[in-house]
């Protein structure tokens, strides 16, 4: 049980560290109707993550290979990021335009967008698979398995739930706190992307090797 909890929390933390999700969430809570749209974004993100976090059959070799490949991909991405030239004003402008549109959406449109982000692309789905496979491999009862799913969803959505909680409870004061955090993140975004990718990638490589040789 302890080993399964550790694996689930680790994979959830890697899944939570998503610059795209963070950027989208900040656009929503710093835009129009931050409280209403922030809650809608959180609900959609939770729904998408929960939908993806289903119980999967566990194949130890597949888990090890998947963790190893995902880890290598993250390390390579992090190393390449170190040598990427700063974005041009045109490239940055396109990204800002997309996020500006997101900040003007109503809650009805924000919810499905957040649901798609919560469900995830290849990286997030792979991490969800690894987490649920670890829970299944632990051969626990239904209540324990449900608890691990809830734990995964809670940790994997922290990057959204905590800031949205600040805005929902604190209103304009909470939005101001998010604004200060956003400024710091923009200043350190490149360094964070590099070291998060390399750090989590290296940990996944080790995890994959341990699974394959254990």
């Amino acid at each position: 049980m302890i080993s399964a909890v550790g694996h689930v929390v680790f994979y959830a933390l890697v899944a939570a560290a998503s610059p795209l999700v963070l950027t989208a969430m900040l656009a929503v809570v710093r835009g129009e109707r931050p409280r209403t749209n922030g809650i809608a974004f959180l609900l959609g993100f939770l729904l998408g993550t929960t939908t993806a976090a289903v119980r999967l059959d566990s194949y130890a070799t597949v888990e090890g290979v998947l963790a190893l490949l995902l880890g290598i991909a993250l390390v390579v991405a992090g190393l390449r990021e170190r040598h990427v030239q700063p974005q041009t004003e045109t490239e940055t402008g396109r990204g800002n335009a997309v996020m500006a549109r997101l900040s003007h959406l109503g809650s009805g449109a924000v919810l499905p967008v957040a649901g798609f982000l919560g469900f995830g692309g290849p990286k997030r789905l792979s991490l969800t698979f690894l987490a649920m496979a670890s829970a299944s491999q632990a051969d626990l009862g239904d209540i324990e398995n449900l608890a691990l799913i809830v734990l995964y969803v809670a940790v994997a959505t922290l990057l959204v739930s905590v800031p949205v909680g600040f805005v929902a409870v604190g209103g304009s004061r909470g939005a101001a706190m998010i604004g200060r955090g956003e400024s710091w993140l923009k200043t350190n975004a490149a360094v964070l992307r590099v070291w998060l990718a390399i750090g989590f990638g290296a940990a996944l490589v080790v995890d994959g090797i341990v699974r394959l040789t254990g």
Side-chain angles (χ1 to χ4, degrees), residues 26-52:
L26 289 173
V28 170
V29 300
R30 296 282 290 163
E32 299 175 359
R33 300 178 296 277
R35 180 173 288 167
T36 302
N37 285 358
I39 292 173
F41 189 92
L42 175 58
L43 290 176
F45 196 68
L46 284 170
L47 180 61
T49 303
T50 302
T51 301

Side-chain angles (χ1 to χ4, degrees), residues 3-179:
S3 175
V5 170
H7 276 100
V8 167
V9 170
F10 170 64
Y11 295 135
L13 285 172
V14 182
S18 170
L20 176 60
V21 170
L22 179 59
T23 302
M25 182 276 301
L26 289 173
V28 170
V29 300
R30 296 282 290 163
E32 299 175 359
R33 300 178 296 277
R35 180 173 288 167
T36 302
N37 285 358
I39 292 173
F41 189 92
L42 175 58
L43 290 176
F45 196 68
L46 284 170
L47 180 61
T49 303
T50 302
T51 301
V54 295
R55 182 175 176 130
L56 300 171
D57 291 330
S58 176
Y59 297 94
T61 302
V62 173
E63 289 178 50
V65 171
L66 182 58
L68 183 61
L69 292 177
L70 185 58
I72 291 173
L74 283 174
V75 171
V76 171
L79 292 174
R80 290 184 62 184
E81 184 75 22
R82 296 176 63 186
H83 305 289
V84 171
Q85 296 296 323
Q87 290 182 317
T88 64
E89 291 185 6
T90 301
E91 291 170 332
T92 304
R94 289 172 184 166
N96 288 338
V98 172
M99 291 305 157
R101 285 196 292 272
L102 182 58
S103 68
H104 292 295
L105 293 177
S107 56
V110 165
L111 195 145
V113 171
F116 176 78
L117 290 173
F119 191 83
K123 173 194 166 186
R124 192 173 179 90
L125 284 174
S126 297
L127 290 163
T128 302
F129 167 80
L130 289 169
M132 296 302 100
S134 294
S136 179
Q137 194 175 36
D139 196 24
L140 302 170
D142 292 340
I143 294 178
E144 289 85 356
N145 277 320
L146 178 60
L148 288 176
I149 292 174
V150 172
L151 176 63
Y152 176 81
V153 171
V155 176
T157 58
L158 278 175
L159 204 63
V160 173
S161 60
V162 172
V164 170
F166 274 122
V167 174
V169 175
S172 58
R173 185 174 299 178
M177 291 178 63
I178 297 301

